Amino acid sequence: MSRRPRFPIPRLRTAPPGSSRLFLYAEAAFLLILGISLLSSYLKQYPPSSQTGGSFYQIVDTNQADSTRQAENESQPSQPKKFIKWVDFTVTCEAMTKAFRLDVDTVEQEPHLNWIELLAYLGARYGGDFSRYKASDMDALAQKLKSGQTMAELTEGMKYYDYYLEAYSAVLGGMVGTFEAEIPMDQVPEGVSCRPAEPAEGSDQPQTAWVTRYGLKAFSPIAKGFPYSEFDDFGTARSYGFKRQHLGHDMMGQVGSPIIAVESGIVEALGWNQYGGWRIGIRSFDKKRYYYYAHLRKNYPYQSNLTEGCTVQAGDVIGYMGRTGYSRTENTNNIDEPHLHFGLQLIFDESQKEGNNEIWISCYELVKFLHQNQSLTEKTPDTKEWHRVYRTKDF
C-alpha cells in the first residue's frame, strides 16, 4: 500500500487568463528594463576598454592616480589657466603694409606708432573681419594718435581689443624691430656708424659692414630670384591618410629652390613625416610661433649645418624645395607638383603644441607681405647647396 507524501508535490501552473496574464507580461517587461539599466550603469563606470585601446585595469589605475593627485592638491588649489584657444587671422597684406610703414616712419618720433596696436584696434573695430578694411580708417586712427590721444583712451570700452592685441602680437611679434644688417661697404650712408664684417664662408662678395637698422627683419620663405606661384588654399580638403583640412600655405616652384628661415629661432623638428615628407620645424625665440616647412627635396633636403636644437637666423638657407611625402617610406616622392608647404602654428600654452588644440593660421596674406624682404642667395661651389649673400643678426 503506497504512502502519501508528507508534502504535496508542486504542480505546474498555467498563466491565468485575462488581466492576470497581462500583469505577468508587464512584470517581465519591467524586470528586463531594470536589468538593462543596471548593465548600462555598470559599463559606464567600468568600461571594458578606453578610446585609445587601453584595458579596464589601465583606466582604474589612471582614475586612482587622478584621485591621489587631487587629494594631494586640495590644500593648494590652483586657478585654471586662461589662454587664447583660437585665432582667425584675416589681416590683409595691404593693411599690414600700411601699418608697418607708419611704424617705421615714426620710429624716431613721438608718438611712435606701433603697427601691431594699429592692426589690433582695427581688428576689434571690424570684429576680426579685414574684408571691411579701408585705408582711411587707419589714416584716421594714426591722426588721432599723432594729435595726442593715447591708444588706451581710444580703446577704452573696446571689449575685444586686448584679445586682438595678444593674438596679432603672437603672429607678428618677431617680424619688426631693431637688428644688425650686413650691407656692401660702399652702400653705408654717410654719417652712419658701422663696423667691418668678416666675409661669410664661401662668399666672394666685396667688403661689407654691419649697420644697425629698424624695420622688417622677417623674410619670405623662398629665396630671391626663384619663381613660385601661390593661391589661398588654407582650409581646403585633403584626403591622404584621413579626411582633413589643409592647415598651411602651398608655394609651387622648382625642385632645389632654396628655402629660407622666415624668423630667427631654434630648430625643434628635423626628419621624415609621412604627410610632409622631409620637413623642418623652427620655434621662435619667444616660443609663440612654430614655423613648419615641408615636402623638401629628395636625397638632399636640408642645409648641411642644420641639426635639431641649433639656432638659425632669419634669412638663412635651411633647405630645398621638393615633392617628398605622402608615404611611410622615407625619401619618397609622392607629391605630384614640387612645392613648399609653409605653415605657422601659434602657441599660447604648451598644451597646444601637439594634439587637438593646435592653432594654425592662414599665411596667404602674410606671405604676400613678406615678399618685400627676400633673402639674396648664391651657389656654394662644388656642392648642392646655396647660402645667403648678406647676413642679419637679431639683438
Side-chain angles (χ1 to χ4, degrees), residues 148-379:
Q149 291 182 271
T150 66
M151 188 62 78
E153 293 170 344
L154 293 173
T155 58
E156 185 176 2
M158 265 191 172
K159 186 175 180 180
Y160 296 110
Y161 171 74
D162 289 341
Y163 162 80
Y164 285 106
L165 180 61
E166 184 177 357
Y168 292 174
S169 294
V171 179
L172 306 170
M175 297 189 178
V176 172
T178 304
F179 61 100
E180 282 192 305
E182 182 185 22
I183 63 174
M185 184 68 78
D186 58 7
Q187 294 183 16
V188 177
E190 185 177 352
V192 173
S193 60
C194 67
R195 55 187 177 85
E198 292 293 329
E201 184 178 352
S203 175
D204 57 0
Q205 295 296 319
Q207 180 65 49
T208 58
W210 288 106
V211 297
T212 299
R213 284 183 169 175
Y214 180 90
L216 183 60
K217 56 182 183 177
F219 287 80
S220 171
I222 295 179
K224 186 174 183 178
F226 289 84
Y228 65 88
S229 61
E230 60 183 336
F231 60 93
D232 190 358
D233 58 346
F234 185 82
T236 57
R238 291 291 187 270
S239 59
Y240 173 77
F242 61 97
K243 290 183 178 180
R244 64 195 189 281
Q245 289 185 318
H246 183 236
L247 300 179
H249 178 60
D250 287 345
M251 304 173 71
M252 280 64 70
Q254 302 170 347
V255 171
S257 296
I259 303 304
I260 303 300
V262 169
E263 185 182 349
S264 301
I266 307 295
V267 177
E268 282 195 353
L270 195 69
W272 181 262
N273 176 298
Q274 68 164 311
Y275 300 98
W278 294 122
R279 92 301 190 208
I280 302 169
I282 298 177
R283 188 82 167 266
S284 62
F285 290 135
D286 65 4
K287 297 188 177 296
K288 294 290 187 182
R289 291 166 296 286
Y290 178 77
Y291 295 94
Y292 181 71
Y293 309 80
H295 305 313
L296 303 182
R297 181 174 59 184
K298 182 178 180 179
N299 296 325
Y300 210 107
Y302 313 124
Q303 196 74 338
S304 59
N305 61 349
L306 210 66
T307 59
E308 194 169 310
C310 74
T311 299
V312 297
Q313 289 289 326
D316 285 352
V317 177
I318 56 174
Y320 301 91
M321 185 182 294
R323 57 186 190 90
T324 59
Y326 282 17
S327 175
R328 293 180 181 273
T329 303
E330 287 191 3
N331 212 32
T332 300
N333 277 336
N334 266 354
I335 303 297
D336 293 332
E337 185 174 3
H339 70 275
L340 169 69
H341 171 104
F342 174 66
L344 177 54
Q345 180 188 6
L346 304 183
I347 303 171
F348 298 93
D349 184 83
E350 284 303 310
S351 64
Q352 299 173 311
K353 180 62 171 66
E354 295 181 359
N356 295 326
N357 299 319
E358 296 176 5
I359 302 175
W360 296 89
I361 65 166
S362 172
C363 295
Y364 177 66
E365 296 290 338
L366 180 61
V367 167
K368 288 201 298 181
F369 169 72
L370 294 174
H371 184 77
Q372 63 186 291
N373 194 28
Q374 295 179 289
S375 183
L376 180 64
T377 60
E378 62 183 3
K379 189 80 164 56

Side-chain angles (χ1 to χ4, degrees), residues 89 91-92 94-100 114-126 128 130 133 138 141 151 161 164-165 168 172:
F89 187 72
V91 184
T92 62
E94 180 186 0
M96 281 185 276
T97 301
K98 189 171 184 64
F100 165 66
N114 182 296
W115 76 308
I116 299 177
E117 291 180 357
L118 297 175
L119 294 172
Y121 176 93
L122 294 182
R125 177 174 171 177
Y126 300 147
F130 268 79
Y133 169 74
M138 190 172 295
L141 173 59
M151 188 62 78
Y161 171 74
Y164 285 106
L165 180 61
Y168 292 174
L172 306 170

